Amino acid sequence: DAKTTQPPSMDCAEGRAANLPCNHSTISGNEYVYWYRQIHSQGPQYIIHGLKNNETNEMASLIITEDRKSSTLILPHATLRDTAVYYCIVSSPYSGGGADGLTFGKGTHLIIQP
Amino acid sequence: DTGVSQDPRHKITKRGQNVTFRCDPISEHNRLYWYRQTLGQGPEFLTYFQNEAQLEKSRLLSDRFSAERPKGSFSTLEIQRTEQGDSAMYLCASSLMGGSLKEQFFGPGTRLTVL
C-alpha cells in the first residue's frame, strides 16, 4: 500500500468547512483513497473513498488532484461532534492475503473549536 | 443496534494470564478483521477471515496470539501468557465480500490492561 502523509493536527471553527489534506505521491494506478475517522474511545468509521474523480456523500466530499498524488477531505459545516482523528488510507481494493487489511498511519487530529 | 459488537469492553489481567475476546460481526458480513491499537497510534491489522477461513495470519504479533471463527459468524481472539506490552485496544471489523473491500465496519473495541 502507498504511504500517506497527513498533518498531525488541525483546528477549525464550528460551522466552517474543515479541509484535511493528504499526500500520497507514490499511489499506483489501481489504488483508491479511503478516509476513516475515529472519535475518542470509539472504533474507526468509514467516511468516503475515491479513485480519481471527486466524490461526495452525506458526510463529506473528497477532492483528488488530477495527478492523484494528493487529496483533500472536506467537511462542509463542521460541528463539535466532528472532533476526531482522521485517517487517509491508500490501498488496492483487490483481495489477497494481507491486502484486505487497512494500513492506518497516525492521522490528523481535527479539533473543532466552538 | 445491528452493528459490530465486542465483548468484553474492558479487561484487566495479570501478566502471564490468558485472555479471550469475542467479536460479533454484522450478520450478513462474511469478512471479519482484527486490529490492535496502542496509544497515539493508528490501528494495526492483525488477521482476517472470509467466512470460517483465516486468510491472513502472518501479521499476528507472535505465536501467543491466535484467532478463530469456527462457524463463520462470531470470532475470538486469544492472547496466551499476556505481557505488559500487550496492553492496547483490540478492534474488530467486518465487511461484505463484493462490496467495497476497504469499507469496513468497526466495533467499539476491547481495551486490555496487563498489570
Side-chain angles (χ1 to χ4, degrees):
Chain A
D1 292 348
K3 180 179 171 61
T4 61
T5 303
Q6 300 178 253
S9 65
M10 293 181 63
D11 288 349
C12 178
E14 188 177 18
R16 305 296 292 268
N19 296 279
L20 292 93
C22 180
N23 287 323
H24 32 79
S25 58
T26 61
I27 191 170
S28 62
N30 66 351
E31 288 183 319
Y32 284 63
V33 179
Y34 298 81
W35 283 83
Y36 278 73
R37 74 178 183 183
Q38 187 172 25
I39 296 170
H40 183 62
S41 296
Q42 297 183 20
Q45 175 191 23
Y46 166 83
I47 301 173
I48 197 168
H49 74 280
L51 181 62
K52 55 183 177 181
N53 298 320
N54 298 338
E55 302 287 345
T56 296
N57 64 19
E58 65 278 3
M59 290 183 67
S61 295
L62 174 60
I63 308 298
I64 302 174
T65 57
E66 191 169 346
D67 63 7
R68 304 206 325 120
K69 292 184 177 182
S70 65
S71 60
T72 301
L73 179 75
I74 302 172
L75 307 178
H77 305 287
T79 71
L80 297 178
R81 286 177 291 183
D82 291 322
T83 293
V85 178
Y86 288 77
Y87 298 100
C88 170
I89 299 167
V90 173
S91 187
S92 168
Y94 304 108
S95 64
D100 279 342
L102 294 167
T103 300
F104 290 82
K106 292 188 177 182
T108 296
H109 187 194
L110 175 67
I111 299 171
I112 306 302
Q113 304 282 1
Chain B
D1 190 332
T2 57
V4 178
S5 62
Q6 293 187 245
D7 183 69
R9 295 291 308 278
H10 304 272
K11 178 71 176 178
I12 300 174
T13 192
K14 294 183 179 180
R15 187 176 54 185
Q17 298 294 305
N18 299 343
V19 294
T20 300
F21 310 139
R22 176 177 170 128
C23 171
D24 286 89
I26 294 171
S27 59
E28 63 268 27
H29 285 185
N30 51 10
R31 292 189 173 212
L32 186 148
Y33 311 80
W34 285 99
Y35 292 81
R36 183 183 79 157
Q37 186 173 26
T38 54
L39 199 60
Q41 304 296 316
E44 176 186 12
F45 170 62
L46 296 179
T47 188
Y48 91 99
F49 294 84
Q50 182 169 303
N51 300 312
E52 65 276 9
Q54 190 173 10
L55 298 186
E56 173 59 51
K57 54 183 178 181
S58 65
R59 311 284 184 93
L60 286 168
L61 301 164
S62 78
D63 57 7
R64 297 184 297 106
F65 288 71
S66 63
E68 292 184 344
R69 194 183 184 199
K71 296 182 180 180
S73 56
F74 73 92
S75 175
T76 57
L77 177 71
E78 181 182 16
I79 309 174
Q80 296 182 328
R81 306 181 302 280
T82 53
E83 302 173 357
Q84 288 184 324
D86 297 332
S87 295
M89 175 76 82
Y90 290 85
L91 293 159
C92 174
S94 70
S95 71
L96 184 61
M97 182 178 174
S100 171
L101 291 178
K102 293 300 193 287
E103 186 174 347
Q104 297 180 11
F105 296 81
F106 283 80
T110 294
R111 181 166 296 283
L112 173 65
T113 302
V114 181
L115 302 176

